[in-house]
């Protein structure tokens, strides 16, 4: 067999990179390393090391076909891919060297092409398949068995979950400070409906809730627009970890609350205490970190707390209303840390997910709502989940008031204004404002003569949205941009289309702006 494991794997990576988005590539493939390449009886085995079992589950579920194709392409029909899953012991990474079935050295391996397509991968939340040599989740970092931890993850909310017991690591006489968890108990995984819009974020959250601080996702950042479930999801991690004894001290705070606690600590001369309390947390959840923007002192304090927790293997979970690179007014060193682990987005839910959310909500409130009514609401209210829930609550209130059962006619009548308001057309100026606001460019520049690169790009993006979201002709659109002619508009739209075809980061930016515009059309 020619080549080292690295060169062969690099060939595989080149192929994989061309077939998936940059974000997925960076999250799932960049951290992997090839550790062995062996040939035996005509079968070539490439072993790659995975940082955790969650990677194994995720790759099997989402990239099985791609990996198989890649291996066949690079190694030929007799190529096989093996996984070697890292088991952390004593803080140092001990990797069992690659081995196939029956390998004596403890490295966990799976022969990938052997999986039958009919063999469904495990859904997040179900116990992973037993793989020889794999650590079960009742092994702690140092390889000992932790009391009170079930061998396999329990389904959310299952009874009999062990409460956090007395920690064997707390020295008697030295009391850990009491940490108020500050969690809303209604935000659980059980109540969180999974859809394509939130699958990665939900699966990663679930993995983290099982083993806070022990997955590759530290910190874990969930980002996305308002009302899409960020707060719900990150609190679900806290609620689950607490209820199942996975973390002894959990605290949820909004970044604003963190800031005001910090300011108070300064005023009362209690910084040391503030800092000590936060550093003693096992699972720290900070919501809406974009509000740290511009608050330098708070950021500095948070930076040090972050470092201390991260070094201790404590879990940090964050949320933001946009991807880390777009958050303004946050120091580079902190921003870069936000991207150390995993950043996963939540998107607007698709119709089926919206219906499922409404059905769950109706069930919980104990009212019977006909399927066609749920579908009617879900079809017309699509801006975000909070609005969706609001629409149903309004309808239920009305039904109670008039003492009638909810039907389609009532839904039409009661929600008429809400739904009519749902899609007024945008003006070109609104589009310019939202685009410039997002890209942090003074709005009047898109109508001015300047040819600075960022301005030209913002202008072209705004033109592109104007074409897509308004009924104006190219000529009229040009007039809104400082009287440019229609060929300039065509050129602008074309260059946005070109970049959309080639640049996944750019696509993400466009999608983020589109969500902003969606919110504006209400
Ligand atoms: P965000 O923090 O992103 O603004 P929230 O977490 O506050 O959004 O969610 C808004 C409302 O929608 C909450 O009542 C939440 O319970 C509900 N919600 C959001 N996503 C889901 C989901 N996937 N399944 C069920 N309810 C959801
Ligand atoms: Mg929120």
């Amino acid at each position: 067999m020619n080549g080292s494991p690295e060169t062969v794997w690099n060939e595989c990576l080149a192929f994989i990179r061309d077939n998936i988005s940059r974000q997925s590539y960076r999250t799932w493939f960049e951290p992997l390393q090839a550790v062995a390449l062996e040939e035996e009886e005509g079968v070539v085995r490439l072993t790659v090391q995975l940082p955790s079992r969650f990677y194994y589950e995720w790759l099997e579920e989402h990239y099985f076909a791609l990996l198989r194709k890649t291996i066949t392409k690079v190694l030929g029909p007799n190529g096989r891919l093996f996984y070697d899953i890292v088991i952390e012991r004593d803080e140092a990474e001990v990797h069992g060297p690659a081995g196939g079935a029956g390998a004596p050295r403890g490295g966990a391996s799976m022969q990938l092409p052997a999986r039958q397509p009919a063999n469904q991968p495990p859904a997040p939340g179900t116990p992973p398949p037993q793989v020889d040599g794999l650590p079960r989740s009742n092994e702690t970092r140092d390889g000992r068995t932790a009391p009170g931890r079930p061998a396999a993850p329990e389904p959310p909310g299952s009874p009999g979950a062990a409460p956090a017991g007395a920690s064997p690591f707390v020295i008697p006489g030295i009391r850990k400070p009491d940490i108020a968890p500050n969690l809303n108990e209604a935000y659980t995984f059980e109540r969180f409906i999974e859809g394509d819009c939130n699958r990665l974020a939900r699966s990663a959250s679930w993995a983290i809730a099982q083993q806070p601080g022990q997955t590759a996702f530290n910190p874990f950042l969930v980002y996305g627009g308002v009302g899409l479930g960020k707060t719900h999801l990150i609190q679900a991690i806290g609620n689950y970890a607490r209820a199942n004894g996975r973390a002894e001290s959990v605290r949820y705070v909004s970044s604003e609350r963190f800031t005001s606690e910090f300011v108070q600590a300064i005023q009362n001369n209690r910084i040391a205490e503030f800092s000590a309390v936060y550093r003693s947390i096992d699972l720290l959840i900070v919501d809406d970190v974009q509000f740290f923007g511009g608050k330098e002192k708070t950021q500095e304090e948070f930076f040090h707390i972050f470092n201390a927790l991260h070094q201790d293997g404590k879990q940090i979970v964050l949320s933001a209303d946009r991807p880390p690179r777009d958050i303004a007014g946050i120091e580079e060193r902190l921003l870069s840390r936000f991207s150390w682990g995993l950043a996963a987005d939540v998107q607007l839910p698709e119709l089926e997910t919206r219906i499922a959310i409404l059905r769950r909500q109706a069930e919980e409130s104990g009212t019977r709502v006909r399927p066609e009514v749920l579908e009617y609401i879900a079809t017309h209210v699509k801006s975000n989940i909070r609005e969706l829930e609001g629409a149903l609550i309004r309808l239920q209130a009305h039904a109670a008031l008039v003492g009638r059962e909810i039907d389609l006619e009532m839904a039409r009548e009661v929600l008429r204004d809400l739904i009519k308001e749902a899609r007024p057309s945008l003006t070109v100026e609104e589009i310019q404002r939202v685009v410039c606001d997002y890209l942090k460019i003074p709005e009047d520049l898109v109508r001015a003569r300047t040819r600075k690169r960022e301005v030209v790009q913002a202008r072209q993006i705004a033109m592109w949205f104007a074409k897509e979201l308004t009924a104006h002709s190219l000529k009229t659109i040009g007039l809104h941009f400082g009287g440019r002619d229609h060929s300039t508009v065509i050129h602008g739209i074309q260059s946005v289309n070109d970049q959309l075809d080639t640049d996944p980061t750019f696509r993400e930016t466009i999608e983020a702006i589109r969500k902003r515009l969606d919110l504006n059309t209400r």
Side-chain angles (χ1 to χ4, degrees):
M1 181 64 221
N2 292 327
S4 65
E6 293 82 46
T7 49
V8 169
W9 180 234
N10 281 341
E11 249 181 87
C12 296
L13 285 178
F15 181 72
I16 293 169
R17 190 167 40 225
D18 288 344
N19 282 285
I20 58 177
S21 77
R22 204 173 69 133
Q23 156 101 355
S24 306
Y25 177 77
R26 290 183 54 184
T27 306
W28 300 109
F29 293 96
E30 229 168 55
L32 312 188
Q33 280 179 357
V35 290
L37 183 68
E38 296 147 318
E39 185 170 353
E40 211 176 288
E41 292 168 12
V43 174
V44 183
R45 302 197 312 205
L46 173 68
T47 308
V48 242
Q49 194 172 78
L50 309 186
S52 69
R53 187 167 49 204
F54 184 61
Y55 267 81
Y56 156 73
E57 286 169 18
W58 192 268
L59 292 179
E60 280 284 280
E61 183 170 345
H62 298 268
Y63 298 109
F64 174 68
L66 174 63
L67 281 167
R68 177 146 72 173
K69 209 161 128 197
T70 307
I71 289 296
T72 310
K73 192 166 151 33
V74 176
L75 291 176
N78 288 333
R80 300 280 185 277
L81 181 64
F82 281 66
Y83 297 141
D84 174 11
I85 301 170
V86 172
I87 306 162
E88 289 176 31
R89 282 177 208 278
D90 290 331
E91 305 296 314
E93 287 184 349
V94 176
H95 345 108
R105 288 170 293 186
S109 314
M110 279 291 288
Q111 199 165 330
L112 188 66
R115 184 160 77 87
Q116 296 302 308
N119 211 356
Q120 281 303 313
T126 55
Q130 180 66 55
V131 179
D132 285 341
L134 261 182
R136 306 300 310 211
S137 55
N138 60 345
E139 273 184 353
T140 57
R141 269 173 169 265
D142 57 8
R144 281 173 295 166
T145 299
R149 295 191 182 197
E154 291 193 26
S158 63
S167 162
F169 304 111
V170 174
I171 305 164
I174 300 184
R175 208 169 69 90
K176 274 191 130 189
D178 285 336
I179 311 280
N182 203 16
L183 290 162
N184 177 343
E185 287 178 4
Y187 290 144
T188 59
F189 282 112
E190 273 181 303
R191 290 202 169 119
F192 191 84
I193 306 281
E194 183 175 354
D196 287 341
C197 56
N198 58 33
R199 204 175 305 286
L200 170 60
R202 196 259 172 218
S203 306
S205 297
W206 176 245
I208 291 164
Q210 307 300 317
Q211 297 181 298
Q214 295 181 53
T215 65
F217 314 124
N218 202 12
F220 174 51
L221 173 81
V222 185
Y223 66 88
V226 240
L228 299 182
K230 301 183 296 296
T231 299
H232 186 139
L233 198 53
I234 60 180
Q235 290 214 22
I237 300 175
N239 277 318
Y240 183 89
R242 239 167 80 75
N244 296 282
R246 306 298 161 100
E248 203 181 318
S249 55
V250 177
R251 182 159 173 83
Y252 164 86
V253 269
S254 64
S255 62
E256 291 112 312
R257 179 156 172 180
F258 181 91
T259 305
S260 77
E261 286 177 358
F262 176 61
V263 169
Q264 258 181 24
I266 296 180
Q267 282 166 358
N268 304 335
N269 244 334
R270 296 173 79 160
I271 297 278
E273 188 183 328
F274 174 85
S275 170
V277 167
Y278 271 96
R279 284 169 200 228
S280 72
I281 293 170
D282 298 326
L283 167 55
L284 175 62
I285 306 168
V286 185
D287 208 350
D288 290 318
V289 292
Q290 73 276 4
F291 295 127
F292 279 148
K295 305 198 175 93
E296 287 163 28
K297 277 266 164 247
T298 312
Q299 278 179 40
E300 194 181 331
E301 181 64 31
F302 184 67
F303 177 76
H304 293 303
I305 290 170
F306 183 105
N307 288 343
L309 292 177
H310 197 270
Q311 263 166 29
D312 280 359
K314 306 299 183 54
Q315 179 72 46
I316 300 152
V317 173
L318 309 166
S319 88
D321 70 346
R322 54 183 84 190
R325 63 170 180 280
D326 294 340
I327 304 176
I330 295 206
E331 265 187 278
E332 196 47 45
R333 57 179 191 169
L334 193 52
L335 268 193
S336 80
R337 274 166 176 71
F338 288 172
S339 322
W340 272 1
L342 174 69
D345 64 342
V346 283
Q347 310 230 349
L348 287 170
E350 51 289 351
L351 179 67
E352 292 74 17
T353 310
R354 296 200 296 273
I355 294 177
I357 290 172
L358 284 174
R359 188 181 306 129
R360 164 68 53 84
Q361 193 194 345
E363 274 166 23
E364 276 184 7
S365 62
T367 10
R368 226 182 63 81
V369 184
R370 289 171 211 229
E372 67 268 22
V373 173
L374 296 181
E375 196 176 318
Y376 176 80
I377 303 174
T379 310
H380 290 91
V381 182
K382 31 190 164 180
S383 48
N384 69 48
I385 298 165
R386 195 170 295 144
E387 295 277 327
L388 196 64
E389 294 184 343
L392 181 59
I393 292 171
R394 183 153 144 190
L395 203 52
Q396 288 171 325
H398 182 84
L401 203 69
V402 298
R404 273 204 295 136
E405 208 187 307
I406 300 172
D407 58 15
L408 203 50
E409 197 192 327
M410 185 193 287
R412 283 211 185 89
E413 189 187 305
V414 173
L415 302 178
R416 187 185 299 135
D417 53 326
L418 195 87
I419 284 164
K420 199 162 70 209
E421 283 164 10
R423 286 239 153 230
S425 56
L426 278 162
T427 66
V428 178
E429 280 67 31
E430 278 165 335
I431 292 174
Q432 291 171 342
R433 182 170 54 69
V434 171
V435 171
C436 291
D437 185 54
Y438 191 87
L439 298 174
K440 305 184 201 92
I441 283 175
E443 189 190 326
D444 44 348
L445 291 189
V446 295
R447 295 183 288 267
R449 290 281 118 193
T450 168
R451 299 188 52 81
K452 274 177 73 180
R453 231 183 105 248
E454 313 85 82
V455 178
V456 172
Q457 179 156 68
R459 188 182 292 137
Q460 294 181 332
I461 292 174
M463 286 174 171
W464 186 88
F465 274 116
K467 178 75 187 82
E468 182 161 300
L469 302 175
T470 72
H472 295 310
S473 67
L474 296 174
K475 184 156 180 267
T476 313
I477 293 174
L479 291 176
H480 284 275
F481 287 85
R484 288 179 158 79
D485 67 17
H486 85 289
S487 63
T488 310
V489 181
I490 292 178
H491 171 73
I493 292 171
Q494 191 50 48
S495 50
V496 170
N497 283 335
D498 290 346
Q499 213 177 334
L500 278 174
D501 285 342
T502 54
D503 181 352
T505 316
F506 183 74
R507 274 202 293 276
E508 285 175 22
T509 304
I510 295 292
E511 281 318 306
I513 295 173
R514 186 197 296 281
K515 274 177 229 158
R516 290 290 163 87
L517 288 165
D518 274 348
L519 294 176
N520 255 263
T521 49
R522 285 183 299 111

